[in-house]
C-alpha cells in the first residue's frame, strides 16, 4: 500500500539477493503478500516481460494453485484480495481503453476493466500492466478472441507479444541514449 496505493495488482515485487531468479522472487513475494506457500504452486512458465510506469522490467510468473487456497493478506502490503474469472479478460462486462504514451514516447493502448465483486460488494478497477498481463494470459490459455481490440496478432500471439515488448524496450533505450 505504500507504493501504488489503491491499485489492483498481482502479488510481486523487486528481487532480493536471496532470490535465484524471477520465479524465486514471485514465490517469495506471493508468500509475503498473501500467504501463498511456494510448495503449493506448480510454476508453469514466465510470460513476455513488461515495463511498468517507473521503467522497471516486470516478468510475470504463471503457476497453478488449488482452488481451495485462502489468501491471508499482509495488511502492510495488501488491502483486499479477490478472484476474477480469466474469461472476464476476453469477454468483460465493463471495459474501456485509453491511449497511453510511455515516458519514452511509445504509444500503446491501455486496457481498463471494472470488475464487480459481488462477494465483497465492491468494484475493482483493473488497468495498466496488471490488465495487460491478465489479457495476454487469458488469450493464451483460453484461445478465444476478445470482444475488444488488442495490440497482438491473434494468430501469432507469442511472437507478436515479443515484438511489442522489443519495440517498447527499444523506445526506452533510444530515450535514454538521447538524454546522455
Amino acid at each position: 500500500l505504500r507504493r501504488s496505493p489503491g491499485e489492483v495488482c498481482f502479488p510481486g515485487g523487486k528481487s532480493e539477493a536471496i532470490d535465484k531468479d524471477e520465479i524465486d522472487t514471485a514465490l517469495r513475494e506471493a508468500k509475503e503478500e498473501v500467504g501463498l506457500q511456494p510448495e503449493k504452486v506448480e510454476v508453469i512458465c514466465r510470460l513476455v516481460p513488461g515495463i511498468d510506469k517507473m521503467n522497471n522490467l516486470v516478468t510475470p510468473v504463471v503457476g497453478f494453485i488449488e482452488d481451495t487456497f485462502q489468501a491471508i493478506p499482509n495488511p502492510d502490503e495488501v488491502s483486499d484480495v479477490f478472484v476474477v474469472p480469466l474469461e472476464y479478460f476476453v469477454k468483460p462486462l465493463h471495459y474501456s481503453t485509453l491511449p497511453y504514451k510511455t515516458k519514452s514516447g511509445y504509444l500503446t493502448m491501455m486496457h481498463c476493466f471494472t470488475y464487480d465483486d459481488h462477494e465483497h460488494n465492491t468494484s475493482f478497477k483493473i488497468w495498466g500492466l496488471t490488465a495487460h498481463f491478465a489479457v495476454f494470459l487469458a488469450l493464451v490459455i483460453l484461445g478465444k478472441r476478445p470482444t475488444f481490440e488488442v495490440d497482438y496478432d491473434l494468430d501469432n500471439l507469442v511472437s507478436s507479444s515479443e515484438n511489442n515488448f522489443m519495440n517498447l524496450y527499444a523506445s526506452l533505450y533510444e530515450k535514454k541514449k538521447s538524454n546522455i
Side-chain angles (χ1 to χ4, degrees):
L1 295 174
R2 289 182 310 272
R3 203 173 126 246
S4 303
E7 291 187 16
V8 171
C9 62
F10 293 111
K14 291 188 180 220
S15 64
E16 294 181 1
I18 60 171
D19 300 333
K20 292 184 297 197
D21 56 19
E22 296 96 342
I23 294 172
D24 268 6
T25 301
L27 293 174
R28 178 184 51 74
E29 288 284 343
K31 181 179 179 183
E32 290 174 8
E33 293 178 8
V34 296
L36 179 59
Q37 299 301 313
E39 63 275 7
K40 299 287 186 177
V41 181
E42 180 185 352
V43 174
I44 302 302
C45 67
R46 291 174 235 193
L47 295 180
V48 175
I51 298 173
D52 72 9
K53 60 188 173 196
M54 301 304 292
N55 290 336
N56 295 306
L57 185 68
V58 180
T59 303
V61 174
V62 179
F64 290 124
I65 61 173
E66 293 292 326
D67 62 357
T68 56
F69 169 69
Q70 293 293 309
I72 303 168
N74 175 344
D76 292 334
E77 299 195 39
V78 178
S79 61
D80 288 301
V81 175
F82 62 101
V83 175
V84 181
L86 202 51
E87 176 89 16
Y88 196 81
F89 296 104
V90 291
K91 192 177 178 185
L93 295 176
H94 307 287
Y95 172 82
S96 63
T97 185
L98 300 168
Y100 178 72
K101 188 180 276 192
T102 66
K103 288 180 181 177
S104 63
Y106 184 78
L107 185 63
T108 187
M109 72 169 113
M110 183 184 308
H111 303 288
C112 301
F113 300 87
T114 301
Y115 180 72
D116 296 322
D117 182 0
H118 300 292
E119 182 180 334
H120 296 95
N121 200 26
T122 306
S123 291
F124 294 98
K125 184 177 179 184
I126 306 166
W127 61 285
L129 203 52
T130 301
H132 168 81
F133 289 144
V135 167
F136 184 75
L137 187 62
L139 293 172
V140 169
I141 290 178
L142 300 174
K144 296 180 179 180
R145 297 209 175 256
T147 58
F148 50 89
E149 285 190 41
V150 293
D151 280 343
Y152 304 115
D153 173 352
L154 295 172
D155 296 320
N156 298 295
L157 196 53
V158 174
S159 61
S160 70
S161 174
E162 291 168 343
N163 287 338
N164 287 352
F165 171 73
M166 292 307 294
N167 289 336
L168 175 58
Y169 189 82
S171 75
L172 261 176
Y173 178 76
E174 286 301 316
K175 178 78 171 172
K176 283 184 180 180
K177 202 165 79 173
S178 69
N179 288 338
I180 294 177

